[in-house]
């Protein structure tokens, strides 16, 4: 039987955890280090941090925050947001992340997935996917979105996943 795992996913914007609805209307939800401590105390198996505005704003990855979180909690951490290159992935792993998640850059340059997997292994490589339902000519479709759910790529989700 498969074991159940609890893996909270926290959206981070400019160093703060935020909550939103369908990628928008974000409100502050607290300090990421405090949130990580709480989830660890509550028995979470792993934690995911996504910097939801880094790609859209062209900001650097949040390696410093990852380092500070990893000094405080002792559970696997997956980090994404603003990861555009293998060097970005290296910096996150060096900061303490166990896994690196890519989305926008992987859609634009799919070979990045292979590059990260070859360097750190498939288990340390996560492909995130922001999907939104759209209606085209009265027909419902699901498209891949990038830049924190802001930009419709026009690519259908199942085509990208394949």
């Amino acid at each position: 039987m498969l074991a159940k795992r609890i893996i909270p996913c926290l959206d981070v914007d400019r160093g703060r955890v935020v909550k939103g609805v369908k990628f928008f209307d974000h409100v502050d939800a607290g300090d990421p280090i405090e949130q990580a401590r709480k989830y660890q105390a509550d028995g979470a198996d792993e934690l995911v941090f996504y910097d939801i505005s880094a790609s859209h704003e062209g900001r650097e990855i949040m390696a410093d925050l990852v380092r500070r979180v990893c000094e405080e909690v002792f559970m696997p951490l997956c980090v994404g947001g603003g990861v555009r290159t293998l060097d970005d992935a290296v910096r996150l792993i060096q900061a303490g992340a166990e896994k690196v998640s890519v989305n926008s850059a992987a859609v634009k340059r799919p070979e990045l997935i292979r590059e990260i997997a070859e360097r750190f292994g498939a288990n340390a490589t996560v492909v995130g996917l922001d999907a939104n339902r759209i209606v085209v000519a009265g027909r419902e479709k699901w498209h891949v979105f990038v830049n924190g759910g802001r930009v419709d790529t026009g690519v259908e989700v199942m085509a990208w996943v394949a």
Side-chain angles (χ1 to χ4, degrees), residues 6-134:
I6 306 299
I7 306 173
C9 179
L10 302 178
D11 290 343
V12 178
D13 189 11
R14 294 177 195 85
R16 299 289 294 175
V17 175
V18 296
K19 294 293 180 192
V21 177
K22 295 185 179 180
F23 306 112
F24 297 101
D25 300 325
H26 297 115
V27 295
D28 187 273
D31 177 68
I33 296 171
E34 289 175 19
Q35 297 273 342
R37 281 190 204 125
K38 171 107 173 75
Y39 280 116
Q40 179 172 272
D42 289 346
D45 298 298
E46 183 175 338
L47 192 57
V48 178
F49 277 118
Y50 282 123
D51 187 334
I52 60 169
S53 58
S55 290
H56 176 69
E57 295 175 356
R59 280 190 293 102
E60 291 292 313
I61 57 171
M62 54 181 172
D64 290 336
L65 175 60
V66 170
R67 188 171 289 102
R68 291 194 328 264
V69 168
C70 289
E71 289 171 354
E72 298 288 329
V73 299
F74 305 98
M75 66 179 147
L77 181 64
C78 176
V79 181
V83 179
R84 293 179 270 290
T85 66
L86 178 59
D87 287 342
D88 289 339
V90 168
R91 287 181 38 227
L92 288 173
I93 296 289
Q94 289 174 339
E98 186 169 296
K99 299 176 184 177
V100 174
S101 180
V102 292
N103 179 1
S104 298
V107 172
K108 296 170 186 167
R109 201 172 69 79
E111 59 271 16
L112 179 60
I113 301 164
R114 178 188 44 76
E115 292 169 4
I116 295 171
E118 285 177 354
R119 179 77 179 263
F120 299 108
N123 288 339
T125 309
V126 175
V127 177
L129 175 68
D130 290 333
N132 260 333
R133 181 177 55 99
I134 63 162

